[in-house]
Amino acid sequence: MPKRKVTELDRGLEAPRRASRRISTSNDPPETASKAAPNPKKSKKTEKNKKVQKTAVNSKQEEDSEAKPKKAPRAAKPVSQPATSDAALASGRQYWLMKAEPESRIEKGHDIKFSIDDLAAKTEPEPWDGIRAYAARNNLRAMKKGDLAFFYHSSCKVPAIVGVMEIVEEHSPDLSAHDPSAPYHDPSSSPDNPKWSVVHVTFRQKLTTPVTLKELKAWQGEKGHPLENMQMLKLARISVSKVSSDEWEFLVGEMAKRGDVVKH
């Protein structure tokens, strides 16, 4: 059954110092003895007083400095990291979200609608074909047997996660790309050099209460929320997207609150 196609400062020179000793000339008047030879005792006393005053000022500054409390450095805020499920880490299982259109749409004479109920009715693994965008195709090729995926109803009145399915066969060439009568035939792809891939999935469960796109966007808008960087919400047109372990755990936790227990 064909699935939804997605198109994807300067420093100046110092002025020269003036000479501290004046050069005498023949026109200069002779200096008096008192000026030429100042009283040495008076000079020593004056110098001593200056030292005492300077010491007192320095002591006062030190006291003020010690008395004034210093501001403690502000501790950096710890960055919160969402906890990852131990079971998910141990199993190495990956998680995904895959979109399909549950409402009728005709493409080259074929009705491409495919819902969670259609998948539930299948008695054999269903090929997830019709993917014609490289980002989505690369996600298909990264899937491993045993991975789980949310089934997402897209291009409908209430887009939402409506169920869970399992990857039971890893990627293989999408033969529908080579069929001229198929809805998403691609003449640039050939059996010798296939561009597109499929995986095979089986039904796991249908949710009694779907998780809507509106809810997903509301959670994504909360700072530091587990869904803040969810690939499907960042790349709205991608039809097959990666779901991190933390995103998966949050969502299945919300589902459990509504009575939909998702078994791993």
Side-chain angles (χ1 to χ4, degrees):
M1 176 65 66
K3 309 304 177 295
R4 180 190 178 207
K5 180 182 180 182
V6 176
T7 304
E8 308 271 22
L9 290 188
D10 286 337
R11 185 177 179 183
L13 296 175
E14 293 185 359
R17 297 182 180 180
R18 293 184 180 181
S20 60
R21 182 181 299 175
R22 183 181 178 194
I23 302 174
S24 63
T25 63
S26 59
N27 294 329
D28 289 338
E31 295 183 355
T32 61
S34 59
K35 290 183 179 180
N39 190 338
K41 291 183 179 181
K42 184 177 180 180
S43 175
K44 289 181 179 180
K45 185 175 180 180
T46 302
E47 187 67 25
K48 183 176 181 181
N49 289 339
K50 288 181 178 180
K51 289 182 179 181
V52 172
Q53 291 174 358
K54 184 176 181 181
T55 302
V57 171
N58 291 340
S59 299
K60 177 63 176 176
Q61 291 175 343
E62 291 176 0
E63 290 175 3
D64 292 343
S65 176
E66 292 175 359
K68 188 176 181 179
K70 295 182 178 180
K71 291 183 179 180
R74 184 178 296 176
K77 293 182 179 179
V79 178
S80 60
Q81 296 290 345
T84 301
S85 164
D86 291 338
L89 289 174
S91 67
R93 171 177 276 166
Q94 302 177 102
Y95 303 101
W96 310 90
L97 183 146
M98 302 164 76
K99 297 178 180 178
E101 298 182 24
E103 297 177 358
S104 292
R105 182 166 73 86
I106 306 302
E107 190 79 27
K108 289 186 179 180
H110 298 271
D111 192 347
I112 65 167
K113 79 178 186 69
F114 191 76
S115 69
I116 187 67
D117 293 326
D118 292 324
L119 179 62
K122 299 294 181 180
T123 58
E124 295 182 356
E126 176 71 7
W128 202 267
D129 57 5
I131 302 302
R132 301 293 182 265
Y134 289 108
R137 182 209 64 183
N138 292 345
N139 281 334
L140 285 178
R141 292 182 175 181
M143 293 179 181
K144 300 297 181 184
K145 184 177 180 180
D147 287 355
L148 296 180
F150 289 129
F151 193 116
Y152 181 92
H153 279 174
S154 180
S155 300
C156 55
K157 293 178 181 178
V158 184
I161 297 172
V162 295
V164 179
M165 53 191 175
E166 182 178 354
I167 313 305
V168 295
E169 293 182 30
E170 297 179 13
H171 74 90
S172 59
D174 184 350
L175 301 179
S176 69
H178 312 144
D179 182 359
S181 65
Y184 299 122
H185 169 242
D186 183 359
S188 68
S189 180
S190 66
D192 295 334
N193 185 26
K195 291 174 59 176
W196 309 110
S197 302
V198 299
V199 295
H200 286 71
V201 302
T202 56
F203 173 84
R204 287 284 292 262
Q205 73 182 85
K206 178 180 178 179
L207 303 181
T208 57
T209 306
V211 179
T212 67
L213 176 60
K214 184 177 180 180
E215 292 176 297
L216 295 173
K217 287 183 175 180
W219 285 322
Q220 182 199 26
E222 299 176 14
K223 187 175 181 181
H225 195 277
L227 303 188
E228 189 175 21
N229 295 306
M230 189 173 185
Q231 188 179 48
M232 188 271 284
L233 298 172
K234 292 283 188 178
L235 305 174
R237 293 185 62 82
I238 192 169
S239 64
V240 179
S241 58
K242 175 71 176 174
V243 177
S244 72
S245 296
D246 298 315
E247 293 163 354
W248 182 274
E249 293 299 328
F250 169 78
L251 288 169
V252 298
E254 289 298 314
M255 293 169 186
K257 293 177 185 178
R258 307 175 187 197
D260 290 308
V261 178
V262 177
K263 295 180 181 180
H264 289 250

